[in-house]
Amino acid sequence: MASVAPIFKKAYWSLFWGTSFYVLALIAFTNPWLQRQILYAHNVQTTWWQDINKPEQFGFVKNQITPFNFTTPDQEVIYAWHIMPLALYAKHESEIIAQPSGCAEDITKTKAFRLLRDDPDARLIINFHGNAGTVAQGWRTDSYRALADGSTSNIHILAIDYRGFGLSTGSPTEEGIIIDGIAAVDWAINVAKVPSSRIVILGQSLGTAVTAAVVEHYAQEGVDFAGVVLVAGFTTLTELLPSYSIAGWLPILAPLKSSPALFRLWSNYVVDKWPSATRIANFVRLSKRVRLFIVHAKDDAEIPWTNAEGLFLAAANATTEKGMDVSLIQKMKSRNTVHMGDGAFISTWKSGNDKIIREEIVAYGHHSRVLTYATVSLAALKAFGMDEGGALPV
């Protein structure tokens, strides 16, 4: 029995030091600078050894993408990509190839820009990506191809790197990133001259929070968009954190689930809250016309798909004047749900013909790969009214 004592002693000290380290880490995470380094992971990228000013390295044809910069009202320089639809590129290939490559000094002088600005039928998807990396990271470039390389010749894409990401200046904060998102839309409307009725705002992961804040801002200004697409979103950062897993395998704050009081205390120190459910509800409530698509993969290991349920309930509730009991909304929702097998389903909520909310939970796609799936492209097409008859199914 004496030989057992050292084992228990070793286990005790391992537990002690492990717990101590975890508590110290929690205390350290209350530091705003460190929080933002972890939350935005803007210095973590896989494109260090590639030149994002040469999109051909990521499988695009020459000059299909025009890299350029624009400036925010608080004087940050934001790096962006304008991605042409491939079918349109094919019609003007020789002229586009002949133009200079790389980051455009003045994008308004490029053929690609003029094709966007001068076409009365042109559509624009403004893409807000998730945390970490650049516009060229991971599945993002594949998602642009899925959206731009289809049969239509008039859907362009604008993708940006928030402040502190990639080649953009500054450091990310919730307030600052929202300014970047609004500035991107302002550029599209005021420089590219694309009316909001021909713009879809699409966000993934962190980008859904950016999208929610941006469309809420414009709803307060009386501006409606063709549609809004949220992919792998979350209701609010503070609610997400206990169930969030870094890279899908490290649930760093999961131990706090067992102590709600401790988590509430710790969450008071979270500096960027990103209350997406509240902002989406405000957007729906204030907008005259809503085409909202919420897409999430059932096998998302980073952000649980149940967050899509929370976003849907908040949006649906906002279509009623005085709000509804959650159980009643869920009962009404079940009547308009089509089950697709393997746990996948599509739920549609309509408030007249003006406000339509569609939640689609797909069985597969994980957290980021789902961006490349036809489900997301279909949502954008439906938002633009390109489905049969230009209307969504009940």
Side-chain angles (χ1 to χ4, degrees):
M1 293 296 293
S3 62
V4 176
I7 297 176
F8 280 108
K9 186 175 182 180
K10 184 176 181 180
Y12 168 81
W13 283 110
S14 296
L15 179 63
F16 172 80
W17 288 115
T19 302
S20 298
F21 176 79
Y22 185 75
V23 171
L24 288 174
L26 288 179
I27 294 172
F29 289 163
T30 62
N31 177 274
W33 180 87
L34 183 58
Q35 269 186 45
R36 287 169 172 145
Q37 292 293 315
I38 296 170
L39 168 62
Y40 299 117
H42 48 291
N43 292 316
V44 178
Q45 59 172 288
T46 60
T47 55
W48 285 113
W49 311 114
Q50 294 168 299
D51 185 354
I52 61 176
N53 280 319
K54 295 181 179 179
E56 294 80 11
Q57 294 181 3
F58 305 95
F60 296 93
V61 291
K62 185 176 178 62
N63 292 344
Q64 181 185 1
I65 293 179
T66 306
F68 72 102
N69 297 310
F70 63 86
T71 304
T72 66
D74 59 346
Q75 300 307 301
E76 297 295 353
V77 177
I78 301 302
Y79 181 81
W81 274 6
H82 168 213
I83 302 124
M84 283 188 66
L86 191 61
L88 181 62
Y89 176 96
K91 296 177 182 179
H92 304 272
E93 181 181 19
S94 58
E95 186 176 355
I96 292 171
I97 287 177
Q99 294 194 326
S101 299
C103 191
E105 292 185 9
D106 183 355
I107 191 174
T108 64
K109 295 181 180 179
T110 66
K111 177 68 174 181
F113 174 84
R114 292 195 298 272
L115 289 170
L116 169 63
R117 181 193 60 193
D118 299 340
D119 181 1
D121 294 322
R123 304 291 190 267
L124 180 65
I125 296 173
I126 299 180
N127 185 290
F128 296 134
H129 65 64
N131 71 344
T134 69
V135 290
Q137 181 115 335
W139 294 100
R140 291 168 192 167
T141 54
D142 289 334
S143 74
Y144 308 149
R145 275 189 290 273
L147 292 166
D149 292 2
S151 60
T152 64
S153 62
N154 64 352
I155 297 180
H156 300 244
I157 301 169
L158 172 66
I160 72 165
D161 274 335
Y162 318 115
R163 61 187 62 199
F165 286 72
L167 300 179
S168 296
T169 64
S171 299
T173 64
E174 180 175 4
E175 180 183 8
I177 291 176
I178 293 171
I179 290 173
D180 301 339
I182 293 171
V185 177
D186 282 347
W187 180 90
I189 294 174
N190 298 317
V191 179
K193 304 299 182 184
V194 182
S196 62
S197 60
R198 289 196 269 121
I199 294 175
V200 163
I201 313 292
L202 186 154
Q204 185 261 346
S205 194
L206 172 65
T208 64
V210 181
T211 297
V214 169
V215 297
E216 179 193 38
H217 167 84
Y218 281 98
Q220 293 167 343
E221 301 292 324
V223 176
D224 292 334
F225 295 97
V228 176
V229 182
L230 307 178
V231 184
F234 55 89
T235 55
T236 176
L237 184 63
T238 50
E239 290 181 4
L240 169 66
L241 286 174
S243 56
Y244 177 73
S245 295
I246 298 175
W249 63 272
L250 184 59
I252 190 169
L253 294 176
L256 292 183
K257 286 183 179 180
S258 61
S259 179
L262 180 59
F263 176 74
R264 284 194 298 271
L265 175 63
W266 185 86
S267 65
N268 288 332
Y269 293 93
V270 175
V271 289
D272 292 344
K273 308 289 188 182
W274 293 107
S276 293
T278 299
R279 286 169 171 161
I280 282 295
N282 288 338
F283 153 70
V284 171
R285 190 176 296 112
L286 293 170
S287 299
K288 294 180 180 179
R289 179 185 181 278
V290 172
R291 297 292 185 272
L292 174 62
F293 300 81
I294 301 167
V295 179
H296 214 119
K298 201 89 180 228
D299 61 358
D300 187 335
E302 294 186 41
I303 297 178
W305 71 271
T306 50
N307 280 265
E309 294 278 87
L311 291 169
F312 181 91
L313 292 174
N317 202 23
T319 64
T320 63
E321 187 174 345
K322 296 182 180 180
M324 298 174 62
D325 184 77
V326 170
S327 61
L328 179 58
I329 295 177
Q330 290 175 329
K331 184 181 294 186
M332 294 175 65
K333 175 189 174 185
S334 65
R335 297 172 186 166
N336 293 286
T337 295
V338 179
H339 294 279
M340 313 294 286
D342 294 331
F345 63 85
I346 300 173
S347 298
T348 306
W349 182 278
K350 296 183 70 175
S351 177
N353 291 319
D354 297 326
K355 298 183 180 182
I356 302 176
I357 301 159
R358 174 175 164 130
E359 176 190 9
E360 183 159 3
I361 304 300
V362 296
Y364 315 103
H366 302 287
H367 184 63
S368 298
R369 192 173 66 195
V370 68
L371 271 172
T372 68
Y373 282 23
T375 299
V376 175
S377 298
L378 181 63
L381 291 175
K382 283 181 173 291
F384 284 128
M386 292 182 178
D387 51 331
E388 185 177 355
L392 289 174
V394 176

